[in-house]
Amino acid sequence: MKDLKIFKDYFDEYLSLHPLTASFCGIKKYDDKFPNYLDKKIEDKLKKFYKKYIKKINEINKSKINDRNAHFLKVLKWRMEDNLEGFNYKFDLLPLDQLDNFILDYVDYATGESYVELKTLLDFKNFLKRTQEFFIYCDTAIIKMEEGLKQKISHPKSIMKEVLKQLNDLLKTKDYVLPDKKIPKNIKEEYKEIMDEQFTEMVKKIRDFIKYKYIPNTHDGFGLSSIPGGKKMYKYLAKSHTTVDMDIKDIHNLGLKEIKRINKAIKELFENGNNSVNNSKKLLVPTNKNTKKFSYKNKEEVIKAYKEASKIIYRKIIPKYFDIRISHNYELKKVPEFKQEGNTGAYYMMGSMDGNRRGAFFLNTKNLDDFQTFNTFSLTMHEGNPGHHFQLTCANDNKIPDFITYTDDETSYVEGWALYAESLTHDYFKNSTKSQDIYSRYGCYNFELFRAVRLVVDTGINYYGWSFKKSFDFMKKYTVFSDYDIKSEINRYSVYSGQALSYKIGQIKFTEFRERYLKKYKNKDIKNYHREVLEYGSCPLSILEDKLNI
């Protein structure tokens, strides 16, 4: 089935405007570029780009195209309109935080271990040219942050102290400078000048700006609710991430309702388990006070357990619920040490378009208290198969237009699917009386409860003005996560506002759509449903609903 020409035209032009995306895809023609997205000229260029393609879509005669292409046109138009709306808000005045730290991201590229390759002499020449353009971006970021301070649109002291620590740690380790043996001889002098000297000076420049200018002059508040226009910014982000038009109050109350329901389910799980387990030892219900009893002894044990869970899932879970066989499995990796501080416990990075770099499931093993045995199965289901890796690989195996996977995505689809994928644990182990399987189901409820709590805390911080302490106390009451993890999560919601809403809302929609689908199509089963929701990749939930015709 032939794709419309507009999809390739859009993707090719998009890559020219987003060189790092091209590098991520394995396309090297823009490896020497780093556009200054904080410059108004670039912003205007992007606006013009989106408006041009919206106009092209509006001019297409929809009656002459098939359902598949019509679906992709809807997705493309929705994304561009959403991106254009985002320019109405002053996100450019908030270019740096502990999660979106462009310095650390660039250090990741500088190691040559990420998707930016540093193997050949040409790779190094391109990278050094890109680095010079990156310095311009850094200088502009300082200007933007200064303007943010004037307009009182800034991150709070607590967040920027985290950034300050990250930069101080980086200056100690200098992870951005490669050992001599990895640098081509005929570029070594230039490399040392740019990376060892100029890059170090740029990090110091930003570090000193944050320490002496930003932190003393920024506010002590927390989240978007503490800055002018923050609530409007948050409403946009909530809709952008969830792709549904829900009132913030309704999202907050949904979280409270789900917390109550899930806690009831956990209570019933252990009551039933203790009545049916075939041994005399009573199941210990995890709490904040006893989670260390469920912790792994060392980092090697963590990696081993996640590899074993992956094998079980691929052998037993996938065949039961899917008639799809993906082209390749993922790699399991540790988060690099320089990125561990303040980062999440786990994340997934998809592979390159050409398949030379496989998708990877990263584990942040900095704090072993964050890894309990009961969470292993669910987290593997979420990040690996049938979650992120399975969903993305399935879509790419189906040869969908490249823009769907490699330009943007819909968080509520991607994260909603991954949380929905976790929930298959319940069905698979529903009749098991083994303590290990009961704890795996608990882990599933534990993560679902965590996502329900996010609905309350994310809206609380960014719309209702919750303080860090109020947010911390709420999460401490309703989750069994460590203090370190709770702190990292709360700080995340304050800067990556609205994104955390998408998991639970997306999961609820996937579950609702499944029930409606199976009720309408009596001759189809769960495998058919999964195939249909995965075949075209990420999209807004309303467009997915139209595709399923339910």
Side-chain angles (χ1 to χ4, degrees):
M1 201 173 291
K2 191 175 181 181
D3 292 333
L4 296 178
K5 184 176 179 293
I6 190 175
F7 301 145
K8 186 178 186 308
D9 291 344
Y10 173 85
F11 183 66
D12 289 344
E13 193 169 345
Y14 183 97
L15 293 184
S16 72
L17 295 167
H18 299 82
L20 280 166
T21 302
S23 296
F24 182 87
C25 293
I27 296 169
K28 301 175 73 66
K29 65 188 292 188
Y30 306 110
D31 276 1
D32 61 341
K33 304 296 182 188
F34 195 102
N36 186 0
Y37 295 112
L38 299 173
D39 189 311
K40 193 173 185 308
K41 290 179 182 177
I42 301 293
E43 180 183 313
D44 290 342
K45 198 171 182 180
L46 287 169
K47 287 179 182 176
K48 186 178 179 181
F49 166 67
Y50 292 132
K51 288 175 181 178
K52 179 177 78 173
Y53 277 93
I54 289 173
K55 185 173 182 291
K56 284 177 178 284
I57 290 174
N58 291 337
E59 291 170 350
I60 292 173
N61 186 343
K62 309 301 188 296
S63 65
K64 293 186 177 181
I65 60 175
N66 58 43
D67 290 345
R68 183 178 187 271
N69 281 324
H71 170 87
F72 293 135
L73 282 177
K74 287 180 192 175
V75 177
L76 180 56
K77 186 176 180 181
W78 191 96
R79 290 180 179 182
M80 292 189 292
E81 288 177 342
D82 181 62
N83 287 335
L84 282 171
E85 186 180 350
F87 286 121
N88 295 329
Y89 306 96
K90 297 179 179 180
F91 296 115
D92 59 317
L93 302 184
L94 301 165
L96 178 64
D97 58 65
Q98 86 286 5
L99 280 184
D100 190 11
N101 185 330
F102 53 81
I103 293 288
L104 292 191
D105 287 341
Y106 206 83
V107 173
D108 204 13
Y109 311 145
T111 64
E113 299 296 325
S114 71
Y115 56 84
V116 175
E117 291 186 346
L118 288 175
K119 295 178 180 178
T120 68
L121 178 61
L122 182 60
D123 288 341
F124 276 85
K125 285 183 176 180
N126 284 334
F127 180 72
L128 294 181
K129 288 179 183 177
R130 174 175 270 175
T131 303
Q132 297 287 8
E133 293 193 2
F134 175 68
F135 291 155
I136 298 171
Y137 179 92
C138 293
D139 283 329
T140 310
I142 292 174
I143 294 169
K144 287 289 184 180
M145 286 189 280
E146 286 177 327
E147 182 60 31
L149 288 172
K150 291 176 186 175
Q151 297 189 32
K152 301 189 183 303
I153 299 175
S154 58
H155 288 307
K157 287 181 170 64
S158 59
I159 290 297
M160 297 312 288
K161 285 177 181 177
E162 294 275 331
V163 177
L164 185 61
K165 184 180 185 308
Q166 288 175 334
L167 297 183
N168 278 328
D169 289 346
L170 178 63
L171 287 168
K172 292 174 187 175
T173 62
K174 295 180 81 168
D175 290 303
Y176 48 87
V177 181
L178 292 173
D180 282 358
K181 63 182 181 180
K182 289 190 176 182
I183 308 165
K185 289 182 181 179
N186 49 353
I187 203 171
K188 192 170 290 186
E189 190 176 332
E190 183 184 358
Y191 176 89
K192 291 285 187 180
E193 166 69 21
I194 293 174
M195 296 308 298
D196 203 359
E197 296 181 28
Q198 294 179 20
F199 196 93
T200 299
E201 287 306 308
M202 181 55 74
V203 176
K204 287 180 179 178
K205 183 178 182 180
I206 294 173
R207 188 270 313 269
D208 291 346
F209 169 76
I210 292 168
K211 183 177 181 179
Y212 298 113
K213 180 74 180 287
Y214 201 97
I215 291 175
N217 291 290
T218 193
H219 58 90
D220 292 303
F222 203 60
L224 288 176
S225 60
S226 61
I227 64 175
K231 287 188 176 183
K232 287 184 178 180
M233 294 168 81
Y234 184 65
K235 283 183 176 181
Y236 160 73
L237 289 171
K239 185 178 178 181
S240 177
H241 285 300
T242 65
T243 73
V244 297
D245 196 6
M246 279 183 75
D247 188 81
I248 302 300
K249 181 181 178 182
D250 292 336
I251 294 173
H252 191 85
N253 289 335
L254 174 63
L256 294 170
K257 181 182 175 183
E258 283 292 283
I259 289 169
K260 187 176 180 180
R261 178 189 67 78
I262 297 164
N263 273 322
K264 182 182 178 184
I266 291 172
K267 184 180 178 182
E268 290 174 356
L269 175 69
F270 281 99
E271 285 177 352
N272 294 336
N274 280 321
N275 290 331
S276 62
V277 170
N278 299 321
N279 56 52
S280 58
K281 190 175 181 181
K282 190 175 181 181
L283 292 170
L284 178 67
V285 181
T287 67
N288 276 317
K289 295 179 180 179
N290 67 18
T291 50
K292 286 192 176 181
K293 293 183 179 181
F294 298 92
S295 295
Y296 289 100
K297 296 174 184 176
N298 52 58
K299 295 177 182 180
E300 290 69 30
E301 199 174 68
V302 173
I303 299 298
K304 182 180 177 182
Y306 276 84
K307 285 182 177 178
E308 185 58 33
S310 174
K311 290 176 185 176
I312 294 170
I313 290 165
Y314 207 73
R315 259 192 341 256
K316 297 181 178 181
I317 301 276
I318 300 302
K320 182 175 173 64
Y321 299 101
F322 299 87
D323 59 7
I324 302 164
R325 296 296 174 266
I326 57 173
S327 58
H328 65 281
N329 209 346
Y330 59 87
E331 294 180 295
L332 190 66
K333 294 184 176 183
K334 293 180 184 178
V335 174
E337 287 189 14
F338 70 85
K339 293 187 76 174
Q340 288 181 351
E341 185 70 37
N343 213 326
T344 55
Y347 60 86
Y348 175 77
M349 180 182 287
M350 66 178 169
S352 60
M353 287 175 62
D354 58 15
N356 289 331
R357 187 189 72 251
R358 290 164 61 192
F361 170 11
F362 286 87
L363 289 169
N364 186 352
T365 55
K366 177 179 175 61
N367 187 8
L368 282 176
D369 288 346
D370 291 339
F371 287 94
Q372 285 80 38
T373 54
F374 52 73
N375 287 330
T376 302
F377 208 83
S378 284
L379 188 54
T380 304
M381 294 272 280
H382 184 102
E383 302 292 350
N385 300 316
H388 290 322
H389 178 75
F390 193 88
Q391 179 259 305
L392 286 161
T393 307
C394 175
N396 290 336
D397 287 349
N398 284 339
K399 307 299 181 186
I400 61 174
D402 292 326
F403 83 86
I404 289 289
T405 303
Y406 291 100
T407 60
D408 294 295
D409 61 35
E410 287 66 38
T411 322
S412 57
Y413 178 99
V414 174
E415 297 296 352
W417 168 261
L419 185 55
Y420 166 83
E422 290 181 45
S423 71
L424 297 175
T425 305
H426 291 307
D427 186 77
Y428 186 76
F429 289 128
K430 64 184 176 184
N431 296 319
S432 176
T433 58
K434 293 179 181 178
S435 59
Q436 182 179 347
D437 298 342
I438 291 170
Y439 277 118
S440 288
R441 288 192 65 192
Y442 168 73
C444 185
Y445 279 132
N446 180 44
F447 276 132
E448 188 183 7
L449 179 62
F450 178 40
R451 275 45 175 260
V453 168
R454 280 177 166 179
L455 297 182
V456 180
V457 178
D458 195 288
T459 52
I461 290 169
N462 293 293
Y463 196 78
Y464 293 113
W466 282 24
S467 65
F468 179 91
K469 185 179 185 307
K470 184 173 182 178
S471 305
F472 186 93
D473 290 345
F474 189 88
M475 290 195 75
K476 189 75 173 173
K477 180 179 179 181
Y478 289 110
T479 73
V480 295
F481 289 92
S482 68
D483 289 0
Y484 174 87
D485 206 34
I486 290 173
K487 179 186 175 184
S488 296
E489 285 293 321
I490 292 171
N491 284 339
R492 168 187 171 178
Y493 309 151
S494 73
V495 297
Y496 201 3
S497 309
Q499 190 266 358
L501 308 175
S502 57
Y503 297 68
K504 196 75 187 72
I505 289 173
Q507 180 232 7
I508 288 171
K509 286 294 182 181
F510 273 107
T511 305
E512 174 199 323
F513 291 168
R514 183 186 68 194
E515 291 171 357
R516 287 164 56 191
Y517 178 91
L518 295 177
K519 185 176 180 180
K520 181 173 181 177
Y521 302 107
K522 304 291 185 183
N523 61 329
K524 296 187 178 183
D525 61 13
I526 195 169
K527 291 181 179 180
N528 297 121
Y529 172 69
H530 290 159
R531 176 176 283 278
E532 289 201 38
V533 299
L534 292 175
E535 65 180 343
Y536 288 169
S538 178
C539 66
L541 297 176
S542 58
I543 295 177
L544 177 61
E545 188 174 12
D546 289 343
K547 178 192 179 298
L548 295 170
N549 192 25
I550 52 175

